[in-house]
Amino acid sequence: MSEATDPGRAIDRSPTRLGRWATTGAGVVALASVGLYSWPALAAGTLGLSLLLVGLVRGTGGLVDGGAFALFVGAVLAGAEGAPVLPVLVGVAAAVLAWDFGGTAIGVGAQLGREADTVRLEAAHLGASTAVGVTVLGVGFGLYRVGTGGQPIAALLLLVIAAVLLVEALS
Amino acid sequence: MNYRRLASLLGVATLGLGLVAMVVPGVVPFGPGPVLVWGVGGLVLLQALRVVGARRRSELDEAVTPTPELPTATPPPGEDLDAVLEGFLDTRGVAFHRGRAREGLRSAAVAVLARYGTYSEVEAEAALDAGTWTDDRVAAAFLGEGNVPPSPPLARVRNRFRSETPMERVVRHTVDAIVAAAGLDARSGGSDGTARRRGTVRGRESRRTTAGRGPSPTDETTPGEDGSGGEDRDTLVRASHPTGHWRGVSVVALVGIGAGVLVGEPAVLLAAVVGIGFAAYARSSALPPGAVSIERTLETDRPDPGETVEVTVTVANDTVRYLPDLRLVDGVPEALSVIDGSPRLGTALRPGERASFSYAIEARRGVHTFGRARLVARDLPGSTEQERSIAARTATTLTCVPSLRPLTEPLPLRGQATQYVGQVETPRGGDGVEFYATREYRRGDALSRIDWHRRARTGELTTVEFREERAARVVLVIDATATAYRSAEPYEPHAVDRAVDAAGRIYASLTGSGDRVGIAALSAEECWLAPGSGVDHAVEARALLATHPALSPVPGERRSTTHWQRRLRKRLQPGTQVVFLAPLASASGDRFAREFEAYGYPVTVVSPDPTADRTPGHRLGRVARTLRISGLRAAGIPVVDWPRDRTVDEAIARHNEGWER
């Protein structure tokens, strides 16, 4: 009888290593950029980061979604309490990135497992998303620098409504 | 659809108006009051809430990859308790209900008591009615006429946590009582039934035949198609579809705008720009998914059993586009397991670029053809995904032919023989080694055979005869029906593997001592090697045992074998012995042995034991097998019972020492 090496070991389908680090990094950036400007922001951001980390360890998508959303809410709260534009924008972008990275880490982990070599795949995705984040951040901040000339409130409102309608049409 | 078009039209119109208002102040004749601002802000936040809700309700639509790392799992006999119970009943019932469970258990108990107890069948029935056959009150009452006593309160509390129904409890008690009556390793009546139940194959994550293999009709391809190239090489299993990865990103824009309008902070309003940017990126489908080609090389394609073989897979992007997200799972043959590394790769490839990865598999008897690899490809944002099934440029096949090693212990054969000289001792005098008789000298007897001592003593001329040893003609019949693919643990060698292994060793032993040996399989697929001996025959036998599809290490579909059984009978010459290698996990093996014995072919059974004892079903399956073995022995058919933790040599040695009778 040939002796069987036990192949019954389960495949580790938890989130990937690189993805976990990237997600944690983005979450920390999101919290650090706005956490110092207001107490509610710090509370929401801390909650968000904890949820994010628990979600990553357990591989639960819902927790990562919730954590990233709380980080985003923290950034908005900081903005509402008068935090400067740049940290708020960084916080929002980092929260979105943490959400994207976390979801990717969980998805790649589930499909390929932790033992597989997935560095290139993840690097491409993380790099692209980060580039988009930096670009929109730049655009947002640029708009702020250009648009401080006191535009009429009616124009602003129309633009806002247009943006909402277009976002709706896109999603 | 219409809603979207309307929204985008209105959006563009409002955008234009807003831009005009910015450039030429005063064109828009109204100034928004605070009510309008609050109204718009509130509505937008409400919409954000809806988006969050939609995200929470929806699930991601991501591909589920197969698990080729693990070999096909095989269950122990009795995985399905109802099927075991049916085996004890003569007629097949249409539906299975409590009454039939009781009937099945009752006949099992009668069979066990009549075989191992001091009861006749009638006495056994009476003992069951009276409940005197066991100390277990639950079992006695269930099979007898009394009422089943309720569980003690403490046990009832425990049962809550075990999720065992009252019926399951009664069945467990009864099976354990039957097992105890059969003198097998009995489980103590109560404690930990569920802990054992957890370990069954059904509970495992990786049962290939169910969820693991995934929803792919293209997965099972014949080896011929694999290497043929053309359109067949790359099949789209699932076309591009949204994954839902970015669903709900618009909430960033909506909250930014809504809250920004309400609180009047530019920082919050500008957060919407970030949201819109990401939403546009998610919608862009930048760098759409595409196909790759793969090539697979093996370290060696003819390894020895148990040898580790390194598999290297090279993935190439033959398109002219950048493929940003490629997730590949290689098609490891079903019977083989990955022991090192991972047959998966996640990568991104520029046009013309290639990437490779490698993993190690453990070789196992048989011909193993690598299947198609599964590719899950996405676009750059990860919002669309497609699944493909890709064959390698050339088909990859691994052939593992174990060598034929003789047994260390001779397998005792039954007493019938051919005209060839061999090892079966006949009740006839002639040429041989062992003294048989003396007889009167006849003209022509060899001088060396004359008993010269007697001649000197008495003057009589006598001839010594020795016991003739003749060769046997033996056919090894391997049970390879669906019910023989059983093993105590899901991933250990199943009964067919063990039987094939033993058949090779028995073949080498018997041919080594001059017998003529043939091989057949009890299987839907025809498998026959006529009895013979010699080098060429051994080569044929070795190849047949290793590579014949009927003896495949992976269970095939269930088909009738009766037709083949008839043909086998026609092929067997009179006087041929049958060595039947079967787990006796079902009644069919039992029937086969009895029938061939009845036709006049002396049958010897070598039975690898695949039974387990984790659930009542498993334990009852073990009882059923033990009953079959003792039934066969009672009918005069020798059975070598081969436990899973011993080698076949040890099992035969035990048998030869007469421990088993």
Side-chain angles (χ1 to χ4, degrees):
Chain A
M1 194 174 126
S2 64
E3 70 290 337
T5 49
D6 181 27
R9 71 206 160 101
I11 287 130
D12 186 357
R13 290 182 184 274
S14 53
T16 57
R17 214 162 274 123
L18 177 61
R20 282 185 190 189
W21 283 114
T23 313
T24 312
V28 168
V29 168
L31 176 61
S33 56
V34 295
L36 295 178
Y37 292 101
S38 91
W39 286 110
L42 186 64
T46 312
L47 173 74
L49 189 60
S50 341
L51 283 180
L52 198 67
L53 293 180
V54 174
L56 273 183
V57 170
R58 295 181 47 186
T60 319
L63 287 178
V64 170
D65 291 356
F69 185 67
L71 281 170
F72 163 66
V73 168
V76 171
L77 286 177
E81 298 207 353
V85 168
L86 192 59
V88 172
L89 289 187
V90 169
V92 169
V96 174
L97 287 178
W99 178 56
D100 173 38
F101 294 174
T104 306
I106 291 173
V108 173
Q111 287 179 340
L112 299 177
R114 281 185 82 173
E115 254 185 81
D117 175 14
T118 55
V119 171
R120 256 200 96 166
L121 166 83
E122 291 183 86
H125 185 88
L126 303 187
S129 293
T130 311
V132 170
V134 169
T135 311
V136 293
L137 196 83
V139 169
F141 195 62
L143 275 181
Y144 170 67
R145 297 301 293 268
V146 171
T148 42
Q151 301 294 341
I153 190 83
L156 193 63
L157 199 63
L158 283 171
L159 285 182
V160 162
I161 294 170
V164 173
L165 286 169
L166 287 176
V167 164
E168 268 303 285
L170 281 176
S171 59
Chain B
M1 219 57 204
N2 277 336
Y3 166 73
R4 258 188 203 168
R5 191 171 298 166
L6 188 69
S8 56
L9 277 177
L10 274 176
V12 171
T14 328
L15 182 70
L17 205 60
L19 288 174
V20 172
M22 271 174 86
V23 181
V24 196
V27 148
V28 184
F30 59 87
V35 177
L36 186 62
V37 171
W38 278 84
V40 169
L43 276 178
V44 170
L45 281 182
L46 217 62
Q47 176 61 18
L49 221 62
R50 264 187 55 205
V51 172
V52 170
R55 165 86 194 187
R56 286 194 54 182
R57 277 192 304 277
S58 68
E59 280 191 14
L60 297 182
D61 187 9
E62 297 181 326
V64 176
T65 53
T67 309
E69 283 92 343
L70 298 173
T72 315
T74 43
E79 190 75 2
D80 180 7
L81 176 66
D82 293 354
V84 192
L85 289 174
E86 284 291 344
F88 283 106
L89 296 170
D90 294 334
T91 47
R92 295 211 148 253
V94 183
F96 201 86
H97 50 85
R98 189 196 149 102
R100 276 190 88 71
R102 182 173 174 274
E103 260 178 75
L105 285 170
R106 223 183 122 95
S107 5
V110 169
V112 165
L113 292 178
R115 172 79 60 199
Y116 301 105
T118 51
Y119 303 86
S120 70
E121 287 210 6
V122 183
E123 285 166 352
E125 294 271 0
L128 285 177
D129 287 338
T132 54
W133 61 283
T134 174
D135 297 336
D136 190 315
R137 284 169 58 222
V138 177
F142 180 58
L143 295 188
E145 279 153 351
N147 288 324
V148 175
S151 342
L154 191 69
R156 232 175 300 163
V157 172
R158 274 207 312 260
N159 286 348
R160 281 287 153 80
F161 295 105
R162 292 210 307 234
S163 68
E164 185 183 41
T165 65
M167 186 62 193
E168 282 171 346
R169 168 175 166 264
V170 169
V171 167
R172 175 166 58 79
H173 274 272
T174 311
V175 167
D176 287 345
I178 293 173
V179 170
L184 292 169
D185 183 20
R187 293 279 153 205
S188 59
S191 52
D192 44 6
T194 9
R196 281 197 185 85
R197 207 165 309 138
R198 295 262 157 75
T200 55
V201 177
R202 252 175 235 175
R204 300 248 171 161
E205 164 226 16
S206 48
R207 185 97 188 257
R208 248 222 247 217
T209 41
T210 54
R213 270 327 247 185
S216 69
T218 47
D219 236 22
E220 320 310 333
T221 43
T222 56
E225 285 171 11
D226 257 7
S228 62
E231 307 88 11
D232 215 9
R233 181 173 290 160
D234 173 13
T235 342
L236 194 62
V237 177
R238 190 165 177 211
S240 291
H241 61 275
T243 57
H245 175 70
W246 286 102
R247 186 180 298 136
V249 68
S250 58
V251 85
V252 175
L254 292 170
V255 168
I257 289 166
V261 167
L262 289 182
V263 301
E265 282 287 341
V268 180
L269 204 56
L270 283 167
V273 175
V274 175
I276 292 169
F278 273 111
Y281 170 58
R283 288 285 300 175
S284 69
S285 301
L287 304 173
V292 293
S293 68
I294 65 169
E295 218 161 340
R296 201 184 287 115
T297 51
L298 299 178
E299 193 183 10
T300 163
D301 58 355
R302 299 193 75 85
D304 289 329
E307 197 178 325
T308 303
V309 181
E310 181 135 321
V311 183
T312 306
V313 181
T314 306
V315 190
N317 178 3
D318 300 329
T319 65
V320 290
R321 291 185 292 119
Y322 183 75
L323 298 176
D325 192 318
L326 300 165
R327 304 165 185 207
L328 194 86
V329 183
D330 197 22
V332 182
E334 280 189 62
L336 300 180
S337 57
V338 174
I339 55 169
D340 193 27
S342 170
R344 298 154 188 264
L345 177 72
T347 192
L349 292 176
R350 287 190 299 275
E353 200 187 10
R354 49 185 60 228
S356 65
F357 64 104
S358 54
Y359 57 94
I361 52 175
E362 187 181 13
R364 186 176 167 194
R365 176 189 68 86
V367 185
H368 309 283
T369 304
F370 281 74
R372 302 169 74 94
R374 175 64 60 92
L375 174 74
V376 178
R378 293 190 175 189
D379 61 3
L380 187 61
S383 40
T384 55
E385 179 184 88
Q386 63 176 217
E387 284 176 67
R388 287 170 180 278
S389 153
I390 298 171
R393 281 178 191 281
T394 50
T396 327
T397 305
L398 186 136
T399 313
C400 174
V401 182
S403 55
L404 297 178
R405 193 162 49 94
L407 295 165
T408 56
E409 193 75 26
L411 178 75
L413 289 175
R414 310 270 301 269
Q416 269 200 29
T418 60
Q419 72 272 30
Y420 301 100
V421 172
Q423 63 150 3
V424 174
E425 292 170 357
T426 59
R428 287 170 55 188
D431 292 328
V433 215
E434 191 189 345
F435 174 77
Y436 181 66
T438 56
R439 60 165 168 79
E440 207 172 285
Y441 173 77
R442 283 199 291 265
R443 285 175 64 96
D445 281 347
L447 279 180
S448 64
R449 294 284 211 85
I450 292 171
D451 187 352
W452 292 110
H453 293 292
R454 180 181 283 224
R455 170 77 177 153
R457 213 160 51 235
T458 66
E460 274 178 79
L461 203 55
T462 50
T463 306
V464 177
E465 281 196 333
F466 296 90
R467 189 183 287 278
E468 263 193 9
E469 291 182 353
R470 292 280 180 83
R473 191 187 297 112
V474 181
V475 170
L476 309 173
V477 181
I478 298 164
D479 183 356
T481 50
T483 54
Y485 287 91
R486 294 286 180 271
S487 59
E489 297 289 335
Y491 301 111
E492 74 180 16
H494 48 69
V496 176
D497 266 346
R498 292 170 67 194
V500 169
D501 190 34
R505 304 201 52 196
I506 294 171
Y507 175 89
S509 272
L510 292 182
T511 50
S513 57
D515 294 318
R516 301 171 70 74
V517 185
I519 297 168
L522 195 61
S523 154
E525 207 139 353
E526 177 160 340
C527 172
W528 169 251
L529 178 66
S533 55
V535 178
D536 292 347
H537 194 264
V539 168
E540 248 178 282
R542 194 178 156 195
L544 176 126
L545 285 175
T547 62
H548 198 284
L551 302 173
S552 150
V554 184
E557 68 252 55
R558 188 185 293 257
R559 268 186 292 165
S560 159
T561 52
T562 46
H563 177 62
W564 207 88
Q565 214 159 310
R566 211 173 310 131
R567 192 149 44 177
L568 174 64
R569 221 183 100 199
K570 281 187 192 143
R571 277 175 172 157
L572 292 184
Q573 292 177 27
T576 304
Q577 299 216 19
V578 172
V579 173
F580 185 42
L581 299 118
L584 299 177
S586 72
S588 66
D590 187 41
R591 206 163 46 233
F592 175 88
R594 285 171 188 274
E595 277 174 13
F596 275 73
E597 178 80 14
Y599 297 146
Y601 306 103
V603 176
T604 306
V605 180
V606 176
S607 177
D609 181 2
T611 58
D613 61 0
R614 292 187 295 269
T615 69
H618 295 167
R619 277 170 257 161
L620 203 60
R622 177 174 283 182
V623 170
R625 177 173 174 276
T626 315
L627 277 174
R628 280 182 206 115
I629 290 179
S630 43
L632 286 173
R633 284 182 185 155
I637 300 171
V639 181
V640 179
D641 186 6
W642 175 12
R644 66 182 264 250
D645 52 354
R646 286 174 196 270
T647 64
V648 67
D649 296 308
E650 286 166 348
I652 293 174
R654 259 167 71 96
H655 179 81
N656 289 351
E657 284 162 21
W659 279 33
E660 295 186 329
R661 307 220 177 188

